[in-house]
Amino acid sequence: MSVATTANYLNAEKGIKSWLFTLDHKRIGLMYLFAVMTSFFLGGVFALLIRLELLHPGQDFFTADTYNQLFTLHGAVMIFLFIIPAIPAALGNFVLPLMLGAKDVAFPRLNLASFYIYVVGALFALYSIVAGAVDTGWTFYTPYSTTTSTSVISMTMGAFILGFSSIFTGVNFIATIHKMRAPGMTWFKMPLMVWALYATSIIQVLATPVLGITLLLLVIERTVGIGIFDPAMGGDPVLFQHFFWFYSHPAVYIMVLPGMGIISELVATFSKKKIFGYKLIAYSSLGIALISFLVWGHHMFTSGQSEFSSMVFSFLTFFVGIPSGIKMFNWLATMYKGRITFEAPMLYTIAFMFLFAIGGFTGIMLGAISIDIHMHDTYFVVAHFHYTMMGGTVIAFLGGLHYWWPKIWGRMYNEKLAKVAWAFIFVGFNVTFFTQFFLGSQGMPRRYYNYLDQYQPLHMYSTYGSWMLGVGFLIMAYYLIYSIYKGPKAPNNPWGALSMEWQTTSPPIQHNFEDQPVLEHEPYDYDTRMVVNDELIKKEDVKEKEDINV
Amino acid sequence: MDPNGSLIFPSQVSTIAPEVDALFDFILYLSIIFFILVVGGTFYFAWKYRKKGEDTFTKDLSHNNMLEVLWTVIPTILVFIIFVWGFKSYMKMTIPPDTSMEIKVTGQKWFWTFNYAEGATTTNELVVPVNQPVRLLMSSNDVIHSFYVPNFRTKMDVLPNRYTQLWFEATETGEYNLFCTEYCGKGHSEMIGKVKVLARADYDAWLAGAGNAGANMKPEEFGAKLYKDKACFTCHSIDGSPLVGPSFKGIFGRTEKMTDGSEITADENYIRESILEPQAKVVQGFQPIMPTYQGVLKDEEIDALIAYFKTLK
Amino acid sequence: MEQAEKHPSYLQHHFADMAQQTDAAKLGMWVFLVTEVLLFGGLFGFYTFFRAWYPEMFMEAHKYLDVTMGTTNTFVLITSSLTMALAIRAMQLGKKKQTIAYLAGTLFFAAVFLVIKYFEYSHKFHMGMLPGKFYTFEGIQAANPHIFFSVYFTMTGLHGIHVIIGMIIITWVMIRTMRDEFSPEYYNPIELTGLYWHLVDLIWIFLFPLLYLIG
Amino acid sequence: MEQHNTATPHVLPLSLYFTVAGTLFVLTGITVAVSFVHFGEFNIIVAMLIATIKASLVALYFMHLKYDNKLFMAVFLSSLIFLGLFLTLTMTDTMHRGDIDPIKEHPIKKEAIIYDK
Ligand code: HEA
Ligand code: HEA
Ligand code: CUA
Ligand SMILES: [Cu+2]
């Protein structure tokens, strides 16, 4: 599979066992990558089926029950199986120790365990498809979820188990970042991706247990009938929503923060410029993580929670916009007077700026209570969260995937096809979801398999867009898989980046670095450092040369 | 799309709608400005500073306090304005005026029932006078539903065992869509109705007639109307195909097996019981999920339904 | 692996020295304890909200919990915490026999705790004070007393599960101690087990007054 | 990197452990005793106060927080802070439902359906 004649982590040990029992963070990261990509395609197929049914009003391909199961599975697979582990557990696992100049994460065995816990959780979730599929929506609202006859328990148990996988990744990363940094790498010399993963881990650790207990109680409620959430039993269904969103709002930042970390890396690397406002970006990650715990009630403005509560939550919601804005402005400023090139990762960066801005602004609209009353549970919300999750996180994930692809496999992908796929995805995405803003504001409720005729044209365009997306992803799947086998050999540092993961070979050797690396320059010192053809050029050394000047 | 509405919103039919739309427009314009600034800036820089020749070192521009303060403070001020504005309209939406008339709303799988103080009861059709504040006192009989009228820009969840309220004042006569927007299972997308806004006089006339609707109809015709109006059709077909519930085709006089093993022939009493106490005897092969129509259907309405069933051979 | 010569066997290859390894492990454990606190936190939330909604019911229902047994169990659990701490201390001083004895003591007290809990539970079951829809007891007048027992059983139940898990881990480190795997230089697993066990104690310290003493 | 201070174990004197355990016993006794006296609302405050003192003793001495890396203390406290935030913010709802319209404060039917039989 691998190119290099020298030993690396891919060919150092052979055989299926050497993968299944590996403690190497790179291999575990790859296994995660395989798992989350499979989940993404599975979720994507569900999405295409949803869109297919919505092409025309009335019942076309699926019954109401099947449709309800489809969007539940789409949501649950995309959230729990794909997007939460996507960046931290797959890409993060691979690059974090490399970026820190460490040999591995702090607890390699826990790392492997969390992968297998993920697998077990995934099996539970998949089992629920066979055992009569779930139809509650990914939000599992009671009392519907406690009364429906579908296999809610296996899906909730699956999500519960997946939660532990996520917790262990978080624990592992926190310890790794605190204790495993290379000599010389102080907190403010870490790459911003590491800061982002750190903030993400904090959320994972603090929020996920509450989801765990919530789902556990849901299971107990269904089996034993303890009645805490069931109004017929003296319980309160709105309480369930508080518990659920206390996790699930911070969870959306579990999704997007690592994405923002990737963007910070990409924007500096492809602008060859020192990142602008390093500290502010680092702090804003922590800021977002903190504030994200205070705003969950904005999902419940119409739920019957107290008016006072709505006021508090609406107020707090807006403060997430500030650190997010800070990041966007800083990325923009980083590009200023840079030397920008347009390989696929940079294209994804630009797409991210475009799409996440729309997602973010519509988030602000939803945060204003009076507007949310109208928009809640319509396609406006659906469009908002696809712009943030797909347009933000998934796009950043794809950017990161292309960026580290040569490091992971030691092979280059086909840049031309990558640009074509990018174009399909970017255009297809906007066609699919921009239309949904209009659908939503016109009043089209979500989770409807059948709708009034007046919404038909927009739904149709949305469906066409989803096909474009499908084509884009097929092209991508093709050239990425092709490159693993036949791609040209990648240099150690194809993008001329300065962070530590590029200072080892592509693919990295088994324990990452020959010797313990020591931080010699900061990750974004593009004003004094430059890498050309794997060769580090220092400004001090080239002063005399005329063509390389400032 | 609503022909009277704008590209973005359906037409404004309540007193609160213009206010919601105004705030939306405000944020929309702000967003466009910031979008041009950030994303336009991205495109501009990407083009302007694209790599033009040899590799070079770049400038050390790593921060600028003035700028950083600016892009922290300005958005903070703006979101503060948005918050206050949004909250003010929200309070207006929340507190009904004292002059409101009250209608009791019940949501259940998968239809709406409206009970008027004057005694009228309607299903899936809310009839209100124009320019009159109306307060809806809502609750659900099973899971959570949500009452949503896009033209009014108003929405509220309907919870089991708890009251929630919602008020509006319609400003134009006409017929408007009413959706259930909280996912409630199989019939969620069918749980839609109409809000009919009538001129005062028409409303009074309607109210007077609503009490004895069907008075000048043949019982089986009235029954057929009730079959549609009271949403029986969401679960029962008349063509013999079983939906959520058994078909009404040939129901009268049919002999059926119950889940407890007994056999019952559907006569007047049994049908009446099935409607008022559906869980008492459950037909084999079906879930006991039919809602009770106790308080929704009057005696003569049930009689009409039975008359109608008799015609379904 | 490749530099095995200068690495003691218990130092994993990816750490530079013992201090780094121990500190990382402890940090990891503390972060994990945070997740435990929040897991229980959800249940404490239920307690809080429902108590605020039904104060009289809580007041009345809590009288049916056995304060004597609860108090005894508190003493038992504190004692087990003490023996756990002493086990670690003994290993710090290299006293293997003492360590084993103290760990055995901890296990013993944990078992006593569970036995007492068993009697409490079976008494409740017998009286029909079961959670949720199985509740049949008729002695409590205030509305919805079954909620109190739902809260009681989920909280003490989850705590009980933690006690059982703790016992399994303690048994495991005890076996490893017997196999001479630990020394004053390396006793990290015992220390982490201790942290976990103390947390189980800590949670009980809050459960006890909330459930038994103030209703 | 943070300074490492675990190279040699920090052995605490036996007497300290016994003092702490003794104090915990005494406090348990006090809290049980106090519960039989009725201070009304005050009872819960006293009980929680004592529980907090007990918990702090366990954490500081048995769990060595007092002597270990201060980072651990911060980590542990963060869990309590976030739990506090969760409870407080949820109570902005549960305690204020009737603020505008009292009819929304209570369930329609007080008793659960399991008592209907
Ligand atoms: C990655 C995921 C992600 C992200 C990042 C966000 C980000 C935000 N979201 Fe979103 N959201 C979801 C995923 C996400 N969301 C999901 C999944 C749901 C629905 C779940 C369901 O019901 O199934 C949802 C639903 C949702 C709702 C509830 C809607 C409803 O159901 O009624 C609300 C309401 O406030 C909201 C708000 C916000 C806000 C304010 C942000 C902010 O963080 C955005 C901040 C960013 C910006 C504002 C842009 C950049 C800023 C500038 C350029 C500065 C200038 C800005 C200003 C002047 C304002 N979101
Ligand atoms: C990470 C999160 C994520 C992602 C990436 C997506 C991606 C997509 N989503 Fe999804 N979505 C959610 C999370 C996500 N979604 C959630 C949480 C909900 C709410 C669920 C609920 O209400 O409970 C939701 C709901 C939701 C709805 C609303 C359903 C409803 O309310 O009735 C719709 C409708 O259009 C939709 C569409 C899509 C589409 C078209 C994509 C596309 O972007 C998908 C693109 C991917 C592919 C196209 C797959 C790859 C390509 C192939 C496999 C091609 C080969 C195959 C063939 C051609 C057959 N999603
Ligand atoms: Cu009722 Cu959806
Ligand atoms: Cu949110």
Side-chain angles (χ1 to χ4, degrees), chain A residues 10-48:
Chain A
L10 289 170
N11 62 14
E13 287 167 34
K14 292 238 157 58
I16 184 85
K17 265 201 188 146
S18 75
W19 281 89
L20 293 183
F21 299 109
T22 181
L23 295 180
D24 184 343
H25 69 98
K26 299 184 289 300
R27 287 187 166 204
I28 296 172
L30 274 195
M31 292 197 291
Y32 259 121
L33 187 64
F34 177 74
V36 297
M37 288 313 280
T38 313
S39 308
F40 176 68
F41 274 72
L42 182 64
V45 170
F46 288 137
L48 293 177

Side-chain angles (χ1 to χ4, degrees), chain D residues 25-100:
Chain D
F25 286 145
V26 173
L27 286 173
T28 308
I30 294 179
T31 191
V32 174
V34 167
S35 78
F36 291 104
V37 191
H38 286 287
F39 297 128
E41 270 299 288
F42 211 62
N43 267 22
I44 186 171
I45 300 176
V46 173
M48 286 334 301
L49 204 70
I50 296 178
T52 310
I53 298 173
K54 284 166 71 182
S56 315
L57 285 174
V58 172
L60 288 174
Y61 295 99
F62 284 180
M63 298 169 99
H64 292 215
L65 263 191
K66 188 166 176 216
Y67 309 97
D68 254 341
N69 198 331
K70 287 288 163 283
L71 175 67
F72 303 161
M73 177 96 84
V75 168
F76 188 58
L77 286 181
S78 74
S79 72
L80 302 179
I81 293 170
F82 279 87
L83 180 56
L85 285 173
F86 174 48
L87 299 186
T88 319
L89 281 172
T90 306
M91 280 198 282
T92 61
D93 171 22
T94 58
M95 299 286 95
H96 290 270
R97 289 197 182 155
D99 278 6
I100 287 188

Side-chain angles (χ1 to χ4, degrees), chain A residues 245 248-250 252-253 295-296 298-299 384:
Chain A
W245 290 114
S248 292
H249 181 82
V252 309
Y253 299 97
V295 308
W296 76 83
H298 66 210
H299 296 272
H384 156 71

Side-chain angles (χ1 to χ4, degrees), chain C residues 146-191:
Chain C
H146 64 287
I147 298 254
F148 178 82
F149 290 95
S150 294
V151 172
Y152 167 79
F153 278 107
T154 44
M155 287 181 110
T156 54
L158 189 67
H159 181 261
I161 292 175
H162 277 75
V163 172
I164 294 171
I165 295 174
M167 288 175 74
I168 295 171
I169 303 176
I170 293 171
T171 314
W172 177 61
V173 292
M174 199 162 100
I175 294 171
R176 288 183 66 186
T177 318
M178 290 173 183
R179 289 213 226 116
D180 265 334
E181 286 184 34
F182 302 127
S183 64
E185 286 76 45
Y186 177 66
Y187 58 94
N188 207 241
I190 312 185
E191 208 179 3

Side-chain angles (χ1 to χ4, degrees), chain D residues 3-19:
Chain D
Q3 71 284 28
H4 303 123
N5 50 7
T6 39
T8 47
H10 189 95
V11 186
L12 300 175
L14 262 189
S15 59
L16 182 70
Y17 286 113
F18 284 108
T19 319

Side-chain angles (χ1 to χ4, degrees), chain A residues 146-463:
Chain A
T146 49
T147 50
T148 173
S149 58
T150 54
S151 65
V152 178
I153 292 184
S154 55
M155 184 54 102
T156 29
M157 282 317 287
F160 176 77
I161 295 168
L162 290 166
F164 276 91
S165 162
S166 176
I167 287 176
F168 289 143
T169 306
V171 171
N172 217 334
F173 282 11
I174 290 180
T176 307
I177 295 170
H178 269 279
K179 296 292 169 193
M180 309 291 284
R181 302 191 304 274
M185 188 180 285
T186 58
W187 281 91
F188 290 107
K189 289 181 181 167
M190 301 191 311
L192 286 164
M193 172 75 181
V194 177
W195 271 105
L197 287 174
Y198 185 66
T200 309
S201 306
I202 293 178
I203 308 181
Q204 283 175 305
V205 165
L206 286 169
T208 319
V210 178
L211 177 74
I213 196 72
T214 312
L215 295 178
L216 205 59
L217 286 169
L218 185 60
V219 171
I220 300 177
E221 173 108 35
R222 264 187 83 93
T223 46
V224 187
I226 54 171
I228 290 179
F229 296 130
D230 187 351
M233 302 273 291
D236 183 35
V238 179
L239 216 47
F240 176 85
Q241 300 175 21
H242 281 295
F243 274 67
F244 181 82
W245 290 114
F246 178 79
Y247 166 76
S248 292
H249 181 82
V252 309
Y253 299 97
I254 296 180
M255 305 166 196
V256 85
L257 275 172
M260 292 170 154
I262 291 180
I263 297 299
S264 299
E265 298 300 317
L266 298 187
V267 89
T269 304
F270 291 91
S271 305
K272 292 292 173 306
K273 222 174 115 251
K274 191 166 226 164
I275 191 97
F276 191 89
Y278 175 96
K279 279 202 174 169
L280 224 54
I281 297 187
Y283 283 134
S284 64
S285 291
L286 293 182
I288 291 177
L290 174 72
I291 302 169
S292 73
F293 282 93
L294 311 178
V295 308
W296 76 83
H298 66 210
H299 296 272
M300 302 167 56
F301 288 151
T302 68
S303 70
Q305 73 177 359
S306 79
E307 294 77 11
F308 177 65
S309 197
S310 293
M311 177 190 79
V312 172
F313 281 120
S314 168
F315 181 71
L316 294 169
T317 293
F318 291 114
F319 288 93
V320 215
I322 313 299
S324 310
I326 289 176
K327 280 177 192 279
M328 302 231 14
F329 288 121
N330 279 318
W331 293 325
L332 179 63
T334 303
M335 291 171 72
Y336 176 67
K337 297 215 163 162
R339 188 171 56 65
I340 300 168
T341 52
F342 297 98
E343 290 90 350
M346 185 61 188
L347 293 181
Y348 281 105
T349 307
I350 293 172
F352 177 94
M353 299 282 275
F354 186 101
L355 301 175
F356 185 73
I358 296 179
F361 291 139
T362 49
I364 296 292
M365 293 169 181
L366 292 173
I369 319 182
S370 64
I371 298 178
D372 184 70
I373 299 281
H374 175 62
M375 301 295 192
H376 175 72
D377 269 348
T378 66
Y379 266 75
F380 194 89
V381 177
V382 175
H384 156 71
F385 68 70
H386 283 93
Y387 263 85
T388 48
M389 293 203 287
M390 174 94 185
T393 310
V394 177
I395 292 292
F397 170 76
L398 296 176
L401 190 67
H402 285 80
Y403 179 61
W404 284 302
W405 194 257
K407 181 58 57 185
I408 295 175
W409 298 104
R411 304 269 198 174
M412 293 303 283
Y413 57 84
N414 182 327
E415 189 64 51
K416 231 186 231 137
L417 280 178
K419 286 189 169 123
V420 174
W422 175 86
F424 267 100
I425 291 172
F426 184 74
V427 177
F429 177 82
N430 281 299
V431 174
T432 312
F433 292 108
F434 204 75
T435 42
Q436 296 187 358
F437 284 123
F438 295 103
L439 277 175
S441 59
Q442 290 284 354
M444 166 79 204
R446 64 191 279 207
R447 297 171 171 175
Y448 267 31
Y449 86 109
N450 178 12
Y451 51 86
L452 300 182
D453 290 343
Q454 55 175 328
Y455 300 118
Q456 211 260 334
L458 287 173
H459 266 305
M460 199 174 66
Y461 295 127
S462 180
T463 302

Side-chain angles (χ1 to χ4, degrees), chain C residues 106-120:
Chain C
T106 313
L107 276 181
F108 170 74
F109 287 117
V112 171
F113 179 89
L114 286 181
V115 170
I116 295 182
K117 262 270 77 85
Y118 168 79
F119 283 117
E120 274 194 81

Side-chain angles (χ1 to χ4, degrees), chain A residues 135 272 277 304 340 376 441, chain B residues 8 51 58 62 155 162 183:
Chain A
D135 69 340
K272 292 292 173 306
I340 300 168
H376 175 72
S441 59
Chain B
I8 297 177
K51 177 179 174 182
T58 47
S62 61
K155 171 184 298 139
R162 240 185 89 190
Y183 174 66

